[in-house]
Structure formats: structure tokens, C-alpha cells
Amino acid sequence: MKGEVKINIHNNKVIYEFTLKRNITIVRGKSGTGKTTLYRLVSDYMKDNKGSGVKITMSSGESCIALSDTDWENQIKKIKNSVVFIDEGFNGFKNGKSINDFIRRIKKTDNYYVVFSRESFEEIPSSVEEIYEIETSKSKHTFKKFYELNKSHRLNVNISKKDNFILLITEDSKSGKQFFKEYYKRTDMKVDSANGNSNIISKINENINKELMIVADGAAFSPYIDNVYKICKHNKNVNICLPESFEWMILKSGILKVKQIDETLNNSSEIIDITKYFSWEKFFTYFLEDITKDKKLLKYEKKKISAYYLNEKNMKKIAAVIGL
Amino acid sequence: MLNIYFGNMEEAIYDPSMYFRNQYEEKWIIDEISKKIIKEIDNSKVIDKKVIESPVLGSITPNDLSGGAKTLILIAHDKKNIFNATTCGENCASLLLELAKKREVNINLRYIMDFGEGEFKIKIKNSGKIVKNMNELLAEATKFI
């Protein structure tokens, strides 16, 4: 599947209306909001489409599938170009071994997956922008973003008008870290790297009493966002900024005059092949490397950022993407 | 006191909804704590042991309750098992603390539930440490999850 998919699922009591934008959508939130009811509607529809009393319309894609507990491995093999719903208590999420098996089986498929779970899976990196809760107004249920990011991609908790952090922690240990080190070279600001998303929590805990700004790839931060959100909520000195990725910041900054950038960023959902790029940050790295590969000065390499991206004018434009 | 084991716990009932479907007792539904759980979590009213009135779905059976409500009912009534309370959203936190006021309540969580701004007493079973507020809980629980 590619692009946005609008879905309407209803019976004579409830209506669910939502739009999916990427291959993985996570639905969490309070108990009693109707997650299991949505799963049941899809499950009933699968048993006897019209005869179920459930109606489903999709703007694209073949069908909606409720993944069963007992035969999901075989089920996955047969599902193509569809939206797959996975309920809480799914057997494939029971332990690390089964999650790895699940991820191995879905990684190169062209389906979209809607996962009802409060548990975060390191093995399933997806976007913080595609985590929702169900909002109900009378009988109509819609998806509402669970973690709101503002225009500067800051998580909408602890936002102050002026940045007063003294330590910036980046998930990126290569080009992103090199960039922020250079950007803050002539200031008192310290820049450190967590060397990967999975170390961010321990890095925050080490520095919990300082004014902190965390910068990480929003496109793949779903496994960590819930813990970080709660740390931010209960520690007013911790802020987090989640652009899609560092490469996306460069693309978005306007410092590269390449025709297809705007089109690619504005239509990422239509353009990114999910069978090749499970999460979008990998695509943005590939795309930036690809469009600059034949340009001597502009050539982008993840391991060592070139001088072009570190000149003062360009650094300001890149940092401005996240309001720094 | 509320005792929480964070992360994968082999002996916990992983899918409480399935367990509820096969093990709940009708008398549980009409006692005061279940009525309170069903009212607070699902905004629904117990009519009798087989019927619950939901403002959205109409008349439903106990099996149609939310995963969170079913898990809380199990925690309240089945004292011999430990349940995976990840099926409980954060609107279940105050009821979990209330259940744990009267006795030792053991649960498994695969996410860090927010127990709010106030003081509480929770034992993190992974380390044995007792935490008294969310900052202490976050510092300890993030070691395991």
C-alpha cells in the first residue's frame, strides 16, 4: 500500500472514521474508548462480509483484516495490499522471540498495520506522529494524535517560549552529533550523543537535574516515546524535539536546490516504498545521499558530514527547522 | 500495597480478556467494586449479572466490557493469579491503587502507567524498591522497560 488510506467502518450503533498515513499505526490510550469494538467489527466483517452487518469502505487497498491469534503466521503470508488490525493480547507480542518472528514476517510486506497496544516494541520502530487514541463523539469514533508535536517538532509538554537548556542530547552519534557540536561550538551549550535511541532514557536519567533538550528521529521513535513523554511530564526541565530525522531537517531547510525535494517531502506517504523502507528515516537518508552523490561539495555522508552543511548560513537554516 | 513487575513475566496471564471470557463468575459482576469499575472505566451501568448498559453499544454482556475493565475485575476477584495489566489504560491507575489499599495486589505491566502527581506506595518487584511518586517510579521502572 502507498499513500493515505481513508477508512470508514460501521454497524448500526457505532461509526469509526480515520486516515492511515504510514505502514504502522499504533492506537493506545485510556481503557473503554472502543479499541476492542473496532477490532471486533473487522473480525465480524471477515467472517461474512455483507452478512456480518458491518460495512467497511476504504479509499484504497484490498481489504481490512483482523489478525487472529492462532494462525497469524499463515494468515500474514496470504495478506497483500491490506490493512491489518492487531488487538491487545496478540500472541505474536508475548515475548521477545515472538516479536522478532512477527517483525521478520511483516517487514517486506506491502500492508498497513494498525496495532492496539500500550506496550512499546523496540523491534517495531515507527513514527511518533502515527500514534493515536480513539476519540468519541456520540456514536462516532475518530483517531486523535496521542503525542502532539508543535510546528518546531517539540513534544507538546513543557514548552516554554524561550529555550534555556544547557545540554542537548542527540540520538545520532554521527552526522547529527557533528552538526550540533559545530552549531553550538562558540556557546556554553554542551552536546552529547546517546549513541542510539535505546540509550536515550539512560542518558536522560544521568542528567535528570539539568535543563535538557533531546533531539531524536521522530520517524522511528515510537518504542521510546511513552517513557520519554512521562519523564518530560514529571520533570519540567526536560524537553524533546522529534523531527522525522536529521537528514529530513537538511532536506527541509532549503539549503539544497534540488527540484524533487519539495515533492518528496510533501508526498512522502505516496512516494516511500514500505517494502524497502520500513520506517521513513531510512528513506530520507537514502534520498539525501542519492540526490547529492554526484555533487562534490554537497555530497552527504552519514558517517562524516561535509563542510557545506557546517557553514554558518546553512547551519542556521538547518537548525531553524526545529526552532533552534 | 501495589506490587508491579515491569516487562515480560512468564507466570503472568498475558491475555486477561481471554482468561476473563473463560473464568469470570457472574456474581463478580454485581458486587460493588465491579459496578464501580464498569462505571468509571466503561461509563456503563450494571443491570444484572448478565447485562450491562453501555451508552454507545446499548445492552452488552460482561464479555463485551473493555480490556481494562475486565482486567480490573479479575484483579479484584482472582487473587491467585498475576495479570498482565498492560490492557489497563491510565484511567485505571486510581482504581488499581484503591484495590491495593486493602490487600497486596500483584500485577505485571509492560508499559509505565502514570499514577499521577500525588504520593503513593508501589513496590517494583524487579528490584524490590519501593517508590513513592512518579519521578521515583520512572527512575526505577525505566531500568526494566
Side-chain angles (χ1 to χ4, degrees):
Chain A
M1 294 189 79
K2 268 187 183 177
E4 294 191 2
V5 186
K6 287 184 178 148
I7 299 178
N8 178 302
I9 299 173
H10 67 273
N11 64 9
N12 70 346
K13 293 186 181 68
V14 287
I15 305 167
Y16 287 84
E17 250 179 25
F18 49 91
T19 302
L20 307 178
K21 294 167 189 155
R22 304 191 195 199
N23 55 339
I24 303 286
T25 299
I26 296 168
V27 184
R28 50 177 58 146
K30 292 176 182 172
S31 292
T33 54
K35 296 184 287 293
T36 303
T37 303
L38 172 55
Y39 179 84
R40 274 197 211 128
L41 289 176
V42 177
S43 183
D44 285 350
Y45 185 79
M46 282 172 66
K47 283 180 197 157
D48 186 11
N49 300 359
K50 223 176 169 184
S52 68
V54 178
K55 286 183 182 162
I56 297 183
T57 55
M58 303 164 72
S59 63
S60 65
E62 273 180 33
S63 54
C64 286
I65 306 283
L67 199 64
S68 77
D69 253 351
T70 45
D71 191 35
W72 66 267
E73 293 97 334
N74 284 322
Q75 217 185 342
I76 286 273
K77 281 184 205 163
K78 295 172 198 157
I79 304 169
K80 286 189 171 47
N81 193 31
S82 294
V83 177
V84 181
F85 292 79
I86 302 169
D87 199 12
E88 277 177 335
F90 172 60
N91 235 346
F93 295 154
K94 200 169 182 179
N95 54 47
K97 189 172 167 283
S98 61
I99 296 165
N100 280 325
D101 189 25
F102 173 78
I103 195 72
R104 186 176 54 79
R105 286 169 197 269
I106 71 159
K107 241 186 175 170
K108 286 179 181 168
T109 64
D110 64 354
N111 305 309
Y112 279 7
Y113 296 87
V114 180
V115 181
F116 300 128
S117 179
R118 293 181 191 90
E119 190 175 353
S120 300
F121 306 107
E122 264 188 43
E123 299 83 351
I124 311 176
S126 62
S127 170
V128 293
E129 301 261 20
E130 302 308 319
I131 303 177
Y132 297 90
E133 60 186 328
I134 293 178
E135 195 172 54
T136 304
S137 171
K138 292 183 182 168
S139 61
K140 191 172 177 180
H141 297 64
T142 50
F143 284 9
K144 182 184 171 233
K145 284 202 179 194
F146 198 71
Y147 306 103
E148 292 278 355
L149 301 182
N150 73 6
K151 280 183 185 167
S152 301
H153 307 275
R154 314 283 179 90
L155 188 64
N156 236 342
V157 56
N158 300 345
I159 297 216
S160 58
K161 283 181 185 163
K162 198 169 177 286
D163 285 327
N164 54 356
F165 51 95
I166 58 158
L167 175 62
L168 183 143
I169 298 171
T170 169
E171 159 272 331
D172 194 331
S173 61
K174 295 172 184 163
S175 53
K177 183 186 171 189
Q178 291 158 24
F179 172 84
F180 286 112
K181 279 242 174 204
E182 187 65 25
Y183 184 67
Y184 287 114
K185 198 167 75 177
R186 289 181 200 90
T187 70
D188 294 333
M189 177 76 66
K190 289 207 165 71
V191 174
D192 199 358
S193 169
N195 295 315
N197 279 330
S198 57
N199 300 320
I200 278 187
I201 300 283
S202 55
K203 208 72 181 170
I204 294 173
N205 282 337
E206 279 170 30
N207 296 282
I208 195 71
N209 295 319
K210 295 176 187 159
E211 296 290 334
L212 295 180
M213 172 61 80
I214 318 299
V215 181
D217 292 354
F221 203 68
S222 69
Y224 315 99
I225 184 64
D226 197 52
N227 286 359
V228 173
Y229 172 79
K230 279 163 188 156
I231 290 173
C232 292
K233 194 176 156 199
H234 291 277
N235 293 274
K236 304 293 175 204
N237 52 316
V238 183
N239 283 276
I240 184 157
C241 181
L242 296 164
E244 295 279 356
S245 70
F246 177 62
E247 289 73 20
W248 177 88
M249 284 170 60
I250 293 175
L251 292 163
K252 188 82 179 166
S253 68
I255 64 166
L256 298 169
K257 307 294 175 207
V258 179
K259 244 185 183 178
Q260 69 263 44
I261 290 179
D262 280 352
E263 197 206 331
T264 302
L265 296 186
N266 293 336
N267 302 294
S268 302
S269 185
E270 295 284 348
I271 289 165
I272 296 173
D273 180 352
I274 56 170
T275 64
K276 278 190 187 166
Y277 304 100
F278 190 74
S279 53
W280 286 12
E281 90 288 0
K282 289 194 174 13
F283 170 79
F284 292 126
T285 304
Y286 152 77
F287 181 60
L288 180 56
E289 286 175 346
D290 191 55
I291 59 172
T292 60
K293 67 183 176 200
D294 300 324
K295 297 174 177 160
K296 203 179 168 192
L297 293 174
L298 274 60
K299 189 175 178 178
Y300 178 82
E301 284 178 312
K302 183 92 193 157
K303 60 183 177 203
K304 192 172 186 321
I305 193 165
S306 76
Y308 177 77
Y309 302 95
L310 300 179
N311 81 47
E312 201 143 328
K313 203 171 127 204
N314 288 339
M315 278 201 299
K316 274 186 181 167
K317 284 187 178 172
I318 295 168
V321 173
I322 56 170
L324 293 175
Chain B
M1 186 161 60
L2 184 60
N3 303 293
I4 305 174
Y5 187 92
F6 283 101
N8 185 16
M9 186 185 192
E10 282 300 319
E11 63 267 41
I13 307 276
Y14 173 68
D15 185 354
S17 287
M18 180 171 68
Y19 190 86
F20 181 92
R21 195 161 61 236
N22 295 299
Q23 288 291 332
Y24 89 89
E25 294 177 24
E26 288 180 341
K27 65 180 181 195
W28 293 356
I29 305 302
I30 49 172
D31 73 10
E32 287 311 308
I33 188 64
S34 296
K35 283 181 183 173
K36 189 174 180 182
I37 291 167
I38 291 165
K39 179 72 196 153
E40 282 191 22
I41 305 302
D42 286 5
N43 192 26
S44 297
K45 191 179 170 192
V46 175
I47 303 299
D48 64 39
K49 59 189 178 184
K50 291 180 197 288
V51 182
I52 292 149
E53 187 67 24
S54 155
V56 178
L57 302 169
S59 295
I60 59 170
T61 70
N63 279 323
D64 300 319
L65 289 167
S66 68
K70 283 188 273 198
T71 306
L72 284 174
I73 293 170
L74 282 170
I75 292 167
H77 295 91
D78 181 336
K79 297 172 179 83
K80 61 183 190 298
N81 285 303
I82 298 172
F83 294 96
N84 170 18
T86 310
T87 48
C88 294
E90 279 159 337
N91 51 334
C92 299
S94 60
L95 279 164
L96 276 169
L97 289 172
E98 188 180 322
L99 289 171
K101 270 183 191 163
K102 294 169 194 158
R103 64 177 174 89
E104 292 290 311
V105 170
N106 293 292
I107 61 167
N108 173 218
L109 273 180
R110 292 167 175 237
Y111 83 109
I112 300 178
M113 185 179 277
D114 195 333
F115 288 91
E117 301 290 340
E119 292 279 310
F120 47 74
K121 207 171 170 187
I122 291 172
K123 188 175 195 176
I124 313 287
K125 292 286 272 185
N126 310 60
S127 62
K129 190 167 182 178
I130 291 171
V131 294
K132 291 177 183 155
N133 56 48
M134 269 314 286
N135 275 335
E136 287 182 15
L137 187 141
L138 280 161
E140 192 62 14
T142 50
K143 292 175 189 167
F144 308 107
I145 199 167

